[in-house]
Structure formats: structure tokens, C-alpha cells
């Protein structure tokens, strides 16, 4: 499975961005797609995920009500719509695939290259 993340950029606080994660290869083995982020000097953290079965979603508390994860099965693409962005959302955002519904990094086996989101105050 290959994952290509895109859509990052520079935005002012309160603005919006939409990240995309395009999957290719053996996508039939993917059960769920998750988004993670890593801010400078910090550990990578879980942000959101969407299940391959039924499309159930789950978010870290800090992005609830601001971020929405969705998918387009026809395009093998998962999106992360980010609204009301804050400076603390600044990070490199990664998408990853897992064989199960999880927010644990070690349970994600394929990773995209990351896309940088910078939110200015």
C-alpha cells in the first residue's frame, strides 16, 4: 500500500485547510486510515481515523468539532477537513493505514510522507 498525503500549507489562525490521503496498491488490505501529526520537538500523536467498515470515525479531543475526516471510496482517498485552525495545530501531518480500528501508532503499518501545516497567529 502506498499513501500520498497532500494539502498542507500556511494559513492564518481561524482559517481552514483540507488534507488528502490517496491510497494505491493493495488497498483491499486496508481496514482504516488515520491521520497523525508531529509538531516540532514533540512526539507524533493521533488526530483522527475513519474505519474501512461502515466509515465510523474517531477524533482526538483537541480537534473535536473542528476537524472532519471523510473518504471517497471511488478515488481511494481520505480527507481531513480542518476548520478553525489554531497555532497549536502547526505540525507535519501524516496519513497511515491500519489493519484494525486503532489510535495507536504501532498498529499502523503503512505511512504517507507527511504534509506540513503551519498556522500563524
Amino acid at each position: 500500500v502506498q499513501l500520498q498525503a497532500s494539502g498542507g500549507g500556511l494559513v492564518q489562525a481561524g482559517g481552514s485547510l483540507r488534507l488528502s490521503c490517496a491510497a494505491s496498491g493493495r488497498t483491499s488490505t486496508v481496514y482504516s486510515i488515520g491521520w497523525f501529526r508531529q509538531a516540532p520537538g514533540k512526539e507524533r500523536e493521533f488526530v483522527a481515523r475513519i474505519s474501512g467498515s461502515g466509515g465510523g470515525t474517531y477524533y482526538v479531543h483537541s480537534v473535536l468539532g473542528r476537524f472532519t475526516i471523510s473518504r471517497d471510496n471511488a478515488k481511494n482517498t481520505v480527507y481531513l477537513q480542518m476548520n478553525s485552525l489554531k497555532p497549536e495545530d502547526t505540525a507535519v501531518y501524516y496519513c497511515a493505514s491500519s489493519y484494525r480500528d486503532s489510535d495507536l501508532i504501532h498498529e499502523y503499518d503503512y505511512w504517507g510522507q507527511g504534509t506540513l501545516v503551519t498556522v500563524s497567529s
Side-chain angles (χ1 to χ4, degrees):
V1 177
Q2 293 81 44
L3 301 173
Q4 180 73 36
S6 61
L10 173 64
V11 64
Q12 289 187 334
S16 299
L17 282 174
R18 188 178 79 158
L19 306 183
S20 299
C21 177
S24 60
R26 295 184 62 189
T27 56
S28 61
T29 64
V30 174
Y31 186 76
S32 66
I33 295 287
W35 283 98
F36 295 77
R37 64 187 180 186
Q38 187 165 17
K42 295 188 177 180
E43 294 186 351
R44 192 170 300 187
E45 65 171 354
F46 169 81
V47 176
R49 62 167 163 81
I50 186 164
S51 172
S53 175
T57 59
Y58 183 77
Y59 302 89
V60 69
H61 180 76
S62 60
V63 307
L64 275 174
R66 300 189 298 121
F67 291 11
T68 302
I69 189 170
S70 62
R71 67 184 185 191
D72 183 335
N73 288 336
K75 296 182 179 180
N76 283 332
T77 300
V78 170
Y79 303 99
L80 185 68
Q81 178 66 44
M82 306 186 296
N83 299 328
S84 302
L85 282 161
K86 304 175 181 180
E88 52 263 43
D89 294 318
T90 295
V92 177
Y93 284 71
Y94 300 88
C95 62
S97 67
S98 177
Y99 53 91
R100 60 184 298 176
D101 284 335
S102 175
D103 58 352
L104 301 177
I105 292 176
H106 70 269
E107 292 187 340
Y108 283 79
D109 42 11
Y110 295 99
W111 290 79
Q113 83 288 2
T115 184
L116 176 63
V117 172
T118 304
V119 184
S120 63
S121 57

